[in-house]
Amino acid sequence: MRPWPGTPYPLGATYDGAGTNFAVFSEAASRVDLCLFDADGTEHRVRMPEVDGFVWHCYLPGVLPGQYYGYRVTGPHDPTSGQRCNPTKLLLDPYAKAVGGAVDWDQSVFGYTFGEPEQRNDEDSAAHTVKGVVVNPFFDWANDRPPKTPYNETVIYEAHVRGLTMRHPGVPEELRGTYAGLSHPAVIEHLQRLGVTAIELMPVHQFLHDHGLQERGLRNYWGYNTIAFFAPHAEYAAQTAQGAQVAEFKAMVRTLHEANIEVILDVVYNHTAEGNHLGPTLSMRGIDNEAYYRLVEDDQRYYMDYTGTGNSMNVRNPHTLQLIMDSLRYWVTEMRVDGFRFDLAATLAREFYDVDRLSAFFDIVQQDPVISQVKLIAEPWDVGPGGYQVGNFPPLWTEWNGKYRDTVRDFWRGEPATLGEFASRITGSSDLYQEDGRKPFASINFVTAHDGFTLNDLVSYNDKHNEANGEDNRDGADDNRSWNCGVEGPTDDAEVTELRARQRRNMIATTMLSQGVPMLLHGDEMARTQDGNNNGYCQDSELSWVDWSLAETNTDLIDFTAGVVALRARHPVFRRRRFFAGRPIRRGDELRDIAWFTPGGQEMSHEDWESGFGRCIVTFLNGEGIPDLDARGERVTDDSFLLCFNAHHEDISAIVPDGDYGAEWEVVLDTATGEVSAPQPAKYSGKSELVLPSRSLIVLRRTGSE
């Protein structure tokens, strides 16, 4: 097969209808061979004749979608100097848009001999590793339209493609655990019932199941072990044809868009599945180790590890930055996703050793006309020194607000000295985001996520129970800020069961009515449990999958969740685009945009905030004090509300404010009863007594003014 010169751009394998252009970057290489594989595994090697700017390239007419391929790179092999080229290792294209096969962890996929890490291993790995697949880029998007939901109107549902659908009785068995299953009408109906506007998918980039997990009979369920940044994970496709996962993923996005639901991807650009110096040679390590990975400067055999996974991507290198940016742009333009959540995003900010919020990566994102226009969510920490960076990302970004999570958990379990912090968190965390010009929606508010307890387990366990992971319960976080309500784990005690149900409603209602962007973990709306396991990363089993039978036994919780989401959607006072100012927005107004009261009906004093033992607070949200403008430039107005929080273990009597604040009020939400927008709500007048049940939230809407 005689190659044509082809072009150095775009990188990867690009089919044009008549043949395929192949292009791969390697500054380390002295020779690159393109390897094509027949269905029976027969290999055909083509020496790539052209190299421009360290990009090796060729064009092969007649090479069609479905073709398996890989690379062999000849170049220096000196691990002590960070050089790990070895042509006996078949290497996956970093730009592969689909991946076929699997890594079977044969010794040949490693660059050294087992037991002798200094001994070079020249066994051929082609029969034991993954390969790239040429894909057909053409797809009928029909009338697809991205929803482009504004941040302040967004409600995120964090979900796992497999975990959400594996046990859903309404999804055909052959579609469970797949992209097609996720976009099945039965799943979409549930999402629409809840009122969520975006589904945030845990990693769907092609990932590997760790060798150590497989030896223990486990799998990398979460998927934070990426090997290909352009390829949708093949195991999540219902169709088994080579490269079919690409079209199936696109069809999923198109269907969710039709339902006005955005698709946000949890992406892992901070490390790859090649691990540390004892990891396999599968792709970037053998193509150009020094370019792609951060190496220890005084001993380049080893990798800098800011992620706890063995290696860290070298975002200081322009070609690595290009890889990440090209991947992001591809998922927006070709796969039409609506945003990204960046795993351990602080790693991407490490220009040198320390975290630098103005690193090249963020500069490039800021000026990119495609990526800068979608939702960008940072997990604002990593495991390296100084890695906790909540509140420190650039203005374009939103962040998983870990301080919100911790504070809300502490407040509802009755920890002391949380009132001031709690007030800041539920009003958008202005102390974190206002100074650099960001808005309340910079805060992604959550109480639970995939990493940690489910909501049910948060109120059912004091301690983690991760024995099923096979690590003697050493893995997973110890600081859960959870409370079991008096009994560890399942119980038939009616009083404990009722308290747990109330606490679940408290957490959901608080999250949905806080300023910022709320996020709900899949299954929390039906009290999903993992039996106290707070680190289900390796549990690809019924332990982690959503048990949809709970949707029948916990219909009341689903209805409550949907009700409070709808309450948020109807009232812009709960989703302001600007922070509270603590003053009237117009001259002559008597009422401030927000006010805080003690249970006695008096405005909070400095001493009240600093008391340290306060468990109850009443918040007035002024619907006439919203500084936002609608699409026509007219000022947004709304009803006014009282949010009455009682985290005390006893009932507390509160005095309803009167005068300018209002004369008549009606209850629109009560976490003690589980009612939202009851047909005949309880009504109160100013100065009347309102009994706040222990550990409950009551929301009142003003219906009359003096």
Side-chain angles (χ1 to χ4, degrees):
M1 185 178 296
R2 178 173 297 178
W4 297 1
T7 61
Y9 188 86
L11 289 158
T14 306
Y15 174 68
D16 63 6
T20 303
N21 190 83
F22 295 89
V24 61
F25 158 76
S26 177
E27 186 174 355
S30 58
R31 169 177 172 165
V32 176
D33 290 296
L34 170 65
C35 306
L36 305 180
F37 293 86
D38 296 339
D40 63 1
T42 301
E43 178 180 351
H44 305 274
R45 298 187 188 183
V46 178
R47 183 168 182 174
M48 303 185 80
E50 302 288 334
V51 55
D52 293 292
F54 304 116
V55 175
W56 302 75
H57 56 90
C58 69
Y59 179 91
L60 294 179
V63 171
L64 305 178
Q67 174 67 59
Y68 276 26
Y69 74 100
Y71 295 109
R72 296 183 185 273
V73 174
T74 302
H77 181 87
D78 180 9
T80 60
S81 300
Q83 300 167 327
R84 294 180 180 269
C85 296
N86 186 339
T88 68
K89 309 306 172 190
L90 184 75
L91 304 173
L92 180 67
D93 181 2
Y95 279 74
K97 297 179 178 66
V99 174
V103 177
D104 64 10
W105 301 108
D106 181 80
Q107 178 170 284
S108 62
V109 301
F110 295 86
Y112 61 92
T113 302
F114 287 169
E116 300 181 54
E118 304 300 325
Q119 180 67 42
R120 172 170 162 158
N121 178 2
D122 286 331
E123 295 179 68
D124 194 293
S125 67
H128 304 281
T129 190
V130 289
K131 301 171 180 65
V133 183
V134 177
V135 304
N136 185 348
F138 308 111
F139 180 79
D140 182 8
W141 284 99
N143 297 318
D144 178 68
R145 177 190 60 83
K148 293 189 178 297
T149 307
Y151 267 123
N152 69 313
E153 297 176 13
T154 296
V155 177
I156 297 174
Y157 189 78
E158 189 194 24
H160 188 285
V161 171
R162 188 166 167 83
L164 183 62
T165 60
M166 280 298 291
R167 303 180 69 183
H168 198 305
V171 176
E173 188 171 351
E174 66 274 14
L175 299 183
R176 295 175 188 172
T178 70
Y179 305 120
L182 187 71
S183 57
H184 189 273
V187 176
I188 289 179
E189 181 183 357
H190 181 75
L191 298 176
Q192 291 179 319
R193 176 185 176 185
L194 290 177
V196 300
T197 68
I199 187 166
E200 182 178 302
L201 297 179
M202 291 177 65
V204 298
H205 290 174
Q206 185 72 38
F207 61 85
L208 298 184
H209 299 288
D210 313 56
H211 186 207
L213 290 178
Q214 289 187 329
E215 287 184 325
R216 304 205 308 267
L218 301 170
R219 287 157 57 88
N220 193 314
Y221 170 66
W222 283 355
Y224 293 94
N225 201 33
T226 305
I227 193 62
F229 295 130
F230 291 76
H233 190 61
E235 288 182 312
Y236 294 162
Q239 302 297 319
T240 58
Q242 297 172 0
Q245 60 265 42
V246 177
E248 187 173 324
F249 184 93
K250 291 179 177 179
M252 177 195 72
V253 172
R254 183 182 61 193
T255 303
L256 287 166
H257 282 179
E258 288 173 357
N260 210 35
I261 297 172
E262 293 184 308
V263 179
I264 298 172
L265 301 187
D266 192 338
V267 290
V268 188
Y269 293 112
N270 52 73
H271 74 279
T272 78
E274 290 187 294
N276 63 17
H277 63 290
L278 298 178
T281 298
L282 305 173
S283 180
M284 302 178 203
R285 171 172 284 147
I287 292 174
D288 197 325
N289 188 56
E290 290 180 282
Y292 284 116
Y293 295 116
R294 292 285 297 270
L295 306 179
V296 175
E297 292 186 5
D298 56 358
D299 192 344
Q300 295 188 320
R301 288 177 298 179
Y302 303 112
Y303 296 80
M304 298 297 294
D305 183 11
Y306 299 117
T307 65
T309 60
N311 64 51
S312 302
M313 292 291 286
N314 183 13
V315 292
R316 297 181 297 180
N317 185 284
H319 295 280
T320 304
L321 272 176
Q322 180 186 0
L323 170 71
I324 296 173
M325 298 302 294
D326 285 350
S327 170
L328 292 169
R329 205 174 296 112
Y330 173 80
W331 285 97
V332 175
T333 60
E334 296 296 323
M335 309 297 265
R336 300 203 179 183
V337 304
D338 305 283
F340 305 95
R341 179 265 190 189
F342 291 79
D343 176 66
L344 301 181
T347 299
L348 299 174
R350 291 185 183 273
E351 276 284 275
F352 298 100
Y353 180 76
D354 296 324
V355 174
D356 176 9
R357 59 176 289 184
L358 300 179
S359 71
F361 172 71
F362 297 102
D363 291 343
I364 293 172
V365 169
Q366 179 73 36
Q367 60 80 40
D368 189 279
V370 174
I371 303 169
S372 64
Q373 299 307 303
V374 300
K375 289 181 169 66
L376 301 173
I377 304 170
E379 182 185 34
W381 50 77
D382 65 16
V383 301
Y388 192 77
Q389 293 291 317
V390 172
N392 291 332
F393 276 70
L396 189 67
W397 291 69
T398 64
E399 300 175 13
W400 269 26
N401 190 342
K403 292 185 177 181
Y404 178 96
R405 172 200 61 207
D406 295 345
T407 301
V408 171
R409 289 185 179 191
D410 279 348
F411 176 79
W412 283 116
R413 69 188 179 121
E415 287 295 293
T418 58
L419 270 188
E421 180 91 355
F422 181 73
S424 178
R425 299 299 155 243
I426 66 173
T427 55
S429 296
S430 60
D431 57 323
L432 300 177
Y433 304 116
Q434 188 172 26
E435 187 173 321
D436 57 6
R438 287 196 275 179
K439 304 293 177 62
F441 50 74
S443 177
I444 306 297
N445 298 330
F446 68 104
V447 176
T448 56
H450 69 272
D451 189 1
F453 281 142
T454 66
L455 180 59
N456 179 79
D457 292 357
L458 185 69
V459 300
S460 303
Y461 294 91
N462 284 349
D463 303 305
K464 64 185 182 183
H465 297 270
N466 298 353
E467 290 80 7
N469 296 353
E471 301 178 42
D472 297 324
N473 207 35
R474 294 190 303 269
D475 62 303
D478 294 313
D479 180 19
N480 294 290
R481 304 187 186 223
S482 61
W483 178 48
N484 64 18
C485 297
V487 178
E488 186 75 355
T491 180
D492 294 327
D493 187 308
E495 185 176 342
V496 172
T497 300
E498 192 282 329
L499 177 56
R500 289 176 177 177
R502 186 180 301 189
Q503 288 286 72
R504 288 193 295 264
R505 294 191 292 266
N506 286 335
M507 303 284 190
I508 290 173
T510 302
T511 303
M512 293 303 161
L513 300 182
S514 295
Q515 305 298 322
V517 178
M519 186 181 80
L520 181 70
L521 173 63
H522 73 185
D524 275 355
E525 74 279 10
M526 58 184 86
R528 179 175 75 92
T529 180
Q530 291 182 171
D531 297 336
N533 190 316
N534 74 350
N535 190 32
Y537 79 102
C538 58
Q539 295 296 329
D540 190 1
S541 66
E542 292 188 356
L543 181 71
S544 292
W545 302 338
V546 174
D547 179 2
W548 284 89
S549 69
L550 295 172
E552 301 298 326
T553 56
N554 292 296
T555 301
D556 55 343
L557 182 57
I558 295 176
D559 289 342
F560 177 85
T561 305
V564 70
V565 172
L567 180 66
R568 175 188 179 86
R570 289 194 302 270
H571 294 287
V573 74
F574 297 121
R575 45 183 176 81
R576 292 164 49 110
R577 294 179 56 249
R578 292 174 174 81
F579 287 107
F580 291 102
R583 59 178 182 271
I585 67 167
R586 292 178 301 187
R587 185 174 298 175
D589 284 352
E590 296 294 329
L591 298 181
R592 300 188 299 277
D593 53 3
I594 189 170
W596 304 89
F597 296 91
T598 68
Q602 304 300 314
E603 290 204 43
M604 291 281 288
S605 67
H606 178 75
E607 290 74 20
D608 293 325
W609 287 114
E610 297 297 325
S611 66
F613 53 82
R615 301 286 187 277
C616 183
I617 194 169
V618 176
T619 310
F620 170 75
L621 302 183
N622 185 357
E624 297 291 330
I626 303 174
D628 303 342
L629 302 178
D630 63 19
R632 297 181 179 180
E634 298 179 358
R635 192 168 67 87
V636 174
T637 60
D638 192 10
D639 297 326
S640 296
F641 290 84
L642 287 177
L643 278 66
C644 309
F645 299 91
N646 178 20
H648 194 48
H649 64 272
E650 295 180 345
D651 296 354
I652 291 180
S653 294
I655 303 300
V656 178
D658 66 340
D660 292 332
Y661 291 102
E664 297 177 358
W665 301 82
E666 66 178 20
V667 174
V668 295
L669 181 146
D670 185 344
T671 63
T673 64
E675 290 186 339
V676 184
S677 302
Q680 294 183 327
K683 298 182 182 296
Y684 294 87
S685 59
K687 287 190 176 179
S688 63
E689 182 180 274
L690 169 65
V691 177
L692 302 178
S694 62
R695 294 193 171 90
S696 68
L697 164 61
I698 294 180
V699 179
L700 297 90
R701 182 177 67 89
R702 186 170 67 183
T703 59
S705 302
E706 291 187 344

